[in-house]
Amino acid sequence: MPWRILIILLALGSSSAAQTAPLGASGGTPKRPFTFEDMMKLKRLSEPAPSPDGKWVVFAMQDVDLEANAKKSHLWIVPAAGGEARRLNLTENEEERPRFSPDGARLIWTSKATDPTQIWMSKFSPESGGLDGEPRQLTNVSTGADGGIWSPDGKNIVFVSAVYPDCKDDACNKQRDEELKNSKVKAKVFDKLLYRHWMSYTEFKRSHLFVVSVEGPVAQQNAARDLTPGNHDVPPFNLGGQDLYAISPDGQEVAYTSNIDEVEATSTNNEIFLIPINGGTAKKISNSPGNDNTPLYSPDGQHLAWRSMARAGFEADKQTLMVYQRKLEQARNATAEWDRSVGSYVWALDSKGFFFTAEDRGEAPIWSLTLDAKQPTELARLHADDLAFGGGNQLFFSRASIEAPNEIWRQDVAARGEPAAVTSVNNALLSQVAIQPLEPFSFKGAENADVQGFLVKPPGFDPAKKYPLKYLIHGGPQGAWGNSWTYRWNAQLFAASGNYVVVMINFHGSTGYGQAFTDSISGDWGGKPYVDLMKGLDYVEKTFPFIDKEREAAMGASYGGYMVNWMLGQTDRFKCIVSHDGVFNTESAYGTTEELWFNEWEFKGPPWKNRELYRKFSPHLLAEKFKTPTLVIHGQLDYRLDVAEGLQLFTTLQRLKVPSKMLYFPDEGHWVLKPQNSRLWYKTVNDWVDQWCGAK
């Protein structure tokens, strides 16, 4: 063996030993295991907004008050070159969504100083990095204001408000809201689908875009003009991410996203529209039957880009980048030949290309693409989001990993330099706890395809010992595990709670491995993904002798909940199961969900047209085989997968006398978000797994 290779192997061995040595073995201060209380103390950064001169970054940072069972977000600021972050506005009011004016002299944000929220504004001093004078309320609409963006000329703000589509002015909206509030009758009459969505029933309102001048007293601001009147949502419902509307560089036009199909519950057909900022008739410029979204003008105003999916009704189709030549009124697909989905994106400052993120094998790297190229170039391999330029070639973004939540980073895209941290607000806490790295592996799964998985070891790991296993199964199903952070299914916390090895598999249907791999789960929910999970478990049992195959728990939510329900009727190899918000009866799940496009794509139509496929992969039809002790979890406000699915599963387990327990949240939806509910969730889940798989 050449000496150079031997030295490298010895170095790797030393590094591995250092990572897996018992706590405090290095001679330094012993690091303690990561706890739920630690996780609640972490600062939650989002929405980095660089100043146009590149000197500052303003961002929203959320703190959790566990005892008050509350989360509150405030605005913070940090030098763009890095340094100590500080509060920007010393107020008790909750604040979020900061946005600099084009000249950097003013700042707007959404404030909860009033109920409902409104847009506030203040002058900003680039020299001191502070607010200049007292902030003032910019909007005063009775239905509230959020999502504010500046027109590039600095004269107007476009924002979002949910209004009654038949109301012509704010007085009408205010009267209708007051009548509803004061009425003793709370019944609702529905005459079309999507009468409830995510975790709330309809209030018969529509999101509209409004425009308001930044000049003038607040008393005049309730005269904000509705740019998108009518009985359609602008923008459509979304769970965060990049804005679904933009203003042209000359400030004269607004591009926005909307779905105008007759039956919204079966349609993913969001379209891109243009409308003059002074009002007028909207013009549709997209033509894909799938989801077109997030329009963004080039800095020189010649082009408009947006993300696009080709297939109707498929929410996980490959997301390509369309480029529309405004003068010629022609669009082309800039990433048609690239087999990944575009995530957060920005135009290059010279308007000659793009920078964007895209999932790839457990990461979300930053890529660059020129307008004349067919394939992008990878700039940085990490897990990035929220891209934004500030100060020339400095690209700012949020970065997370399995070892830490979001911090703000930057990269000089001209020099192609290494990314550098801008904030480090969680370093002090994380330096005190034993955080474990993410260890990837791969194996041959269904149809002999390459499948990737990840492993996280417990703190103080000793390779000579045997450890029980928590086998986490992701939702989506078109989702993926990877080098990112989550507060809901946190691998670090699962590993540290009771000393478990945590394993996660990106089975057929996962994202970041090409569209064909993602497509392969549709119509095959209990097929290839189940084979991958069983072969993945075989692989880790054979490859990692420290895994105790007699103490393994399968755990999943959403599609992961479906899969563990499916496993109940397929195998007895797990000591226990945790099923959160999972499908139990595929036919009843169809009748109680809201986004019908999802079920109709995954099961190739409604039940009355393809009943055999629904029944082929329905866990409830295998109930006579259920034996594994199961914890069932469901939220009353989950309208994606109705609580009836969890109740049916628990009833079945109880009647079969299978050891079982149900954790029911009357005030949570598909995700458990309230701090004390989250604490109960983790305790109940970990106690259940310990009961069946814990220390002997």
Side-chain angles (χ1 to χ4, degrees):
M1 178 183 295
W3 277 107
R4 185 170 180 272
I5 296 177
L6 177 59
I7 291 171
I8 292 173
L9 289 175
L10 287 172
L12 290 173
S14 299
S15 174
S16 176
Q19 291 175 355
T20 59
L23 301 186
S26 63
T29 303
K31 293 189 175 184
R32 54 184 173 77
F34 187 57
T35 67
F36 176 82
E37 287 69 26
D38 290 325
M39 189 169 70
M40 291 297 102
K41 291 176 183 176
L42 292 171
K43 311 291 186 182
R44 306 185 184 192
L45 280 69
S46 63
E47 306 168 329
S51 61
D53 62 7
K55 292 182 178 180
W56 305 97
V57 181
V58 176
F59 57 95
M61 188 159 74
Q62 187 181 73
D63 290 295
V64 176
D65 187 333
L66 185 56
E67 294 313 307
N69 199 30
K71 304 172 187 175
K72 182 173 281 192
S73 177
H74 292 292
L75 300 186
W76 287 67
I77 191 167
V78 65
E84 185 175 352
R86 54 182 167 84
R87 280 280 299 275
L88 181 62
N89 188 21
L90 297 178
T91 175
E92 288 302 310
N93 300 322
E94 190 165 0
E95 308 158 310
E96 55 194 12
R97 261 195 78 95
R99 296 291 188 274
F100 276 102
S101 61
D103 62 3
R106 289 169 293 181
L107 190 74
I108 60 169
W109 61 89
T110 300
S111 172
K112 294 185 179 178
T114 58
D115 184 16
T117 63
Q118 301 290 345
I119 308 294
W120 283 59
M121 183 176 70
S122 176
K123 293 180 180 179
F124 179 81
S125 171
E127 291 74 24
S128 65
L131 300 183
D132 184 4
E134 287 295 318
R136 71 179 181 93
Q137 185 177 330
L138 181 63
T139 61
N140 188 30
V141 290
S142 68
T143 48
D146 196 2
I149 61 172
W150 288 88
S151 62
D153 58 13
K155 295 180 179 179
N156 296 302
I157 300 295
V158 168
F159 65 90
V160 180
S161 189
V163 298
Y164 296 99
D166 56 335
C167 276
K168 303 301 182 184
D169 54 33
D170 191 58
C172 173
N173 283 299
K174 185 176 182 179
Q175 180 181 349
R176 292 275 290 276
D177 278 339
E178 289 177 350
E179 289 173 352
L180 180 64
K181 179 181 178 181
N182 295 329
S183 175
K184 292 181 172 55
V185 177
K186 303 304 178 184
K188 298 176 185 288
V189 178
F190 309 125
D191 59 7
K192 62 180 181 179
L193 292 174
L194 219 60
Y195 50 84
R196 64 179 188 175
H197 203 180
W198 194 241
M199 57 185 298
S200 63
Y201 277 81
T202 181
E203 296 296 337
F204 305 100
K205 288 184 174 183
R206 291 291 192 176
S207 293
H208 285 182
L209 291 180
F210 288 77
V211 61
V212 64
S213 170
V214 298
E215 305 301 333
V218 68
Q220 297 177 5
Q221 301 310 318
N222 58 1
R225 290 182 290 108
D226 188 345
L227 284 176
T228 57
N231 195 22
H232 299 288
D233 284 317
V234 182
F237 173 85
N238 65 91
L239 292 171
Q242 200 160 348
D243 287 339
L244 298 175
Y245 46 94
I247 306 175
S248 62
D250 62 7
Q252 298 303 303
E253 181 180 86
V254 176
Y256 65 84
T257 311
S258 185
N259 186 331
I260 61 173
D261 281 6
E262 181 179 357
V263 185
E264 294 166 90
T266 61
S267 171
T268 61
N269 189 25
N270 291 335
E271 302 278 16
I272 304 299
F273 295 84
L274 305 177
I275 193 168
I277 199 167
N278 292 322
T281 302
K283 174 184 178 182
K284 184 173 79 72
I285 61 169
S286 57
N287 54 28
S288 168
N291 179 8
D292 296 291
N293 60 85
T294 59
L296 199 60
Y297 289 91
S298 61
D300 64 9
Q302 294 186 23
H303 296 90
L304 178 69
W306 65 84
R307 299 182 301 192
S308 180
M309 297 181 182
R311 289 175 282 183
F314 186 24
E315 67 178 24
D317 201 2
K318 185 176 79 168
Q319 193 152 244
T320 60
L321 199 56
M322 302 297 294
V323 179
Y324 176 78
Q325 222 293 347
R326 296 177 69 197
K327 286 185 178 180
L328 298 178
E329 298 185 349
Q330 295 177 351
R332 66 177 182 87
N333 190 333
T335 59
E337 298 184 22
W338 192 54
D339 197 18
R340 292 293 185 269
S341 280
V342 174
S344 172
Y345 80 101
V346 292
W347 278 92
L349 296 179
D350 61 6
S351 299
K352 294 181 179 180
F354 303 92
F355 297 92
F356 55 81
T357 65
E359 282 186 274
D360 183 63
R361 299 187 61 80
E363 293 282 15
I366 299 174
W367 311 77
S368 67
L369 178 73
T370 58
L371 288 178
D372 58 356
K374 294 183 178 180
Q375 295 286 332
T377 300
E378 183 179 302
L379 293 186
R381 189 152 195 88
L382 35 69
H383 205 283
D385 200 1
D386 304 319
L387 305 187
F389 270 110
N393 295 308
Q394 293 296 321
L395 181 65
F396 294 85
F397 54 93
S398 59
R399 178 185 182 180
S401 72
I402 197 74
E403 300 179 38
N406 272 347
E407 296 280 3
I408 298 171
W409 285 62
R410 61 182 170 84
Q411 183 178 22
D412 187 326
V413 296
R416 297 294 198 263
E418 287 296 314
V422 176
T423 63
S424 54
V425 298
N426 289 307
N427 284 12
L429 189 153
L430 292 174
S431 67
Q432 302 172 32
V433 296
I435 296 294
Q436 306 304 306
L438 187 71
E439 301 182 32
F441 59 87
S442 61
F443 61 94
K444 294 294 183 180
E447 299 179 348
N448 205 38
D450 290 328
V451 176
Q452 187 178 36
F454 302 96
L455 180 146
V456 176
K457 295 171 182 172
F461 173 76
D462 182 349
K465 292 182 178 179
K466 289 280 190 179
Y467 292 89
L469 174 70
K470 290 175 178 173
Y471 202 49
L472 307 188
I473 304 171
H474 71 67
Q478 295 88 358
W481 299 112
N483 191 25
S484 61
W485 187 267
T486 175
Y487 289 97
R488 289 181 289 111
W489 283 74
N490 189 277
Q492 297 288 346
L493 192 53
F494 278 135
S497 300
N499 281 340
Y500 285 77
V501 171
V502 175
V503 169
M504 302 162 280
I505 303 294
N506 283 341
F507 46 80
H508 275 81
S510 300
T511 51
Y513 302 89
Q515 193 59 40
F517 193 82
T518 300
D519 289 350
S520 64
I521 194 172
S522 300
D524 193 33
W525 270 35
K528 290 185 289 295
Y530 175 76
V531 174
D532 289 342
L533 288 162
M534 292 300 100
K535 287 191 172 185
L537 189 55
D538 292 340
Y539 175 85
V540 297
E541 288 177 350
K542 180 180 178 180
T543 306
F544 305 113
F546 49 81
I547 290 177
D548 185 347
K549 62 182 180 181
E550 300 301 320
R551 294 187 293 158
E552 297 175 336
M555 309 161 62
S558 196
Y559 173 82
Y562 161 84
M563 178 50 72
V564 296
N565 295 345
W566 182 249
M567 287 175 172
L568 273 168
Q570 301 291 328
T571 179
D572 298 330
R573 70 190 295 180
F574 296 103
K575 287 297 182 183
C576 71
I577 278 173
V578 177
S579 175
H580 182 161
D581 290 352
V583 172
F584 178 62
N585 180 333
T586 54
E587 292 179 272
S588 64
Y590 175 89
T592 53
T593 193
E594 8 82 295
E595 295 179 354
L596 291 174
W597 66 75
F598 176 81
N599 305 64
E600 293 188 7
W601 181 273
E602 295 302 315
F603 291 91
K604 311 303 180 184
W608 55 88
K609 288 188 176 181
N610 205 5
R611 198 170 300 278
E612 288 309 308
L613 183 58
Y614 278 81
R615 292 184 173 179
K616 179 180 180 180
F617 292 122
S618 189
H620 85 288
L621 294 177
L622 301 173
E624 70 276 4
K625 298 180 180 179
F626 292 1
K627 297 178 182 178
T628 307
T630 300
L631 171 65
V632 182
I633 307 172
H634 224 108
Q636 181 67 46
L637 304 180
D638 184 356
Y639 302 145
R640 289 294 296 111
L641 287 168
D642 191 82
V643 67
E645 295 301 302
L647 296 173
Q648 289 180 72
L649 172 59
F650 182 63
T651 297
T652 301
L653 292 165
Q654 287 282 302
R655 289 291 291 121
L656 291 170
K657 299 188 183 303
V658 175
S660 51
K661 182 182 292 187
M662 183 165 185
L663 175 58
Y664 165 77
F665 290 102
D667 55 346
E668 297 283 9
H670 201 57
W671 301 335
V672 175
L673 299 177
K674 296 181 179 179
Q676 292 186 16
N677 283 347
S678 180
R679 178 169 59 187
L680 176 62
W681 186 93
Y682 273 105
K683 184 180 188 309
T684 306
V685 168
N686 286 322
D687 285 352
W688 179 258
V689 176
D690 285 346
Q691 178 181 340
W692 301 99
C693 301
K696 296 179 180 178

